[in-house]
Amino acid sequence: MNTTDEHCLKICNGLLRGELSAVESYGRVIEMIDSSSAKEGLQRISNEHSQSARWLSALVRAMNGIPEKNSAVWGQVPGGQIRTEVAVQILRSGEVSVRNGYQRALLDDEVLTDCKLMIREDILPKVIRHIDFLERLHLEVP
């Protein structure tokens, strides 16, 4: 494996950790909040992060790497009941961090074209929609 492939593998596994963190964080928040209308949208987003994690895992395997299994810290999502407003702020902050990671990967000359294509065409547009949803949801939360 050449250094470009190793670098791309490292970047993809870092992005995968972010996706695993998102799934974990959304799962915690979905269990904590009472708003059923919010839960539906949050579950959809969680499912999209799961799909992105599967895509990144497949890409890592295609590069003869071992997909990351551990999540990164995505803010401190506390246990127990929390206000929906606080949960939405935590999730939005995590989404912004994920978006920034994908944007950095797109600017990295050593990230392989196939990876950039998947990010540009499939993953990043969803993350941007997630942020928009969370911003709208934040405005609706009493």
Side-chain angles (χ1 to χ4, degrees):
M1 185 178 299
N2 66 42
T3 57
T4 298
D5 292 346
E6 288 176 16
H7 178 76
C8 187
L9 188 59
K10 180 181 174 184
I11 296 296
C12 287
N13 258 329
L15 296 171
L16 175 56
R17 273 192 306 280
E19 292 295 344
L20 295 172
S21 297
V23 172
E24 183 179 315
S25 297
Y26 275 93
R28 284 181 166 173
V29 169
I30 289 166
E31 289 178 9
M32 289 183 233
I33 63 172
D34 293 327
S35 170
S36 60
S37 61
K39 282 185 179 191
E40 184 179 311
L42 298 177
Q43 186 60 58
R44 177 187 51 78
I45 291 172
S46 179
N47 293 343
E48 289 179 356
H49 280 294
S50 292
Q51 178 64 51
S52 295
R54 286 190 297 274
W55 288 339
L56 286 165
S57 291
L59 186 60
V60 167
R61 281 191 296 280
M63 290 186 285
N64 297 317
I66 299 171
E68 185 66 52
K69 300 250 188 269
N70 298 314
S71 62
V73 176
W74 228 45
Q76 296 301 320
V77 179
Q81 292 294 106
I82 60 171
R83 291 185 8 225
T84 303
E85 178 183 5
V86 173
V88 170
Q89 289 173 349
I90 291 168
L91 294 175
R92 185 187 175 286
S93 175
E95 291 286 356
V96 167
S97 178
V98 166
R99 180 198 64 199
N100 293 345
Y102 284 120
Q103 289 173 333
R104 281 190 303 274
L106 289 174
L107 296 173
D108 190 324
D109 292 337
E110 293 186 72
V111 172
L112 301 174
T113 303
D114 288 345
C115 184
K116 286 184 178 185
L117 183 65
M118 182 174 50
I119 291 169
R120 193 182 314 43
E121 299 293 323
D122 297 315
I123 299 176
L124 188 56
K126 289 177 185 173
V127 172
I128 292 168
R129 284 194 304 271
H130 300 166
I131 294 168
D132 291 342
F133 173 82
L134 292 169
E135 287 174 351
R136 286 191 314 277
L137 184 60
H138 178 72
L139 294 175
E140 295 172 7
V141 174

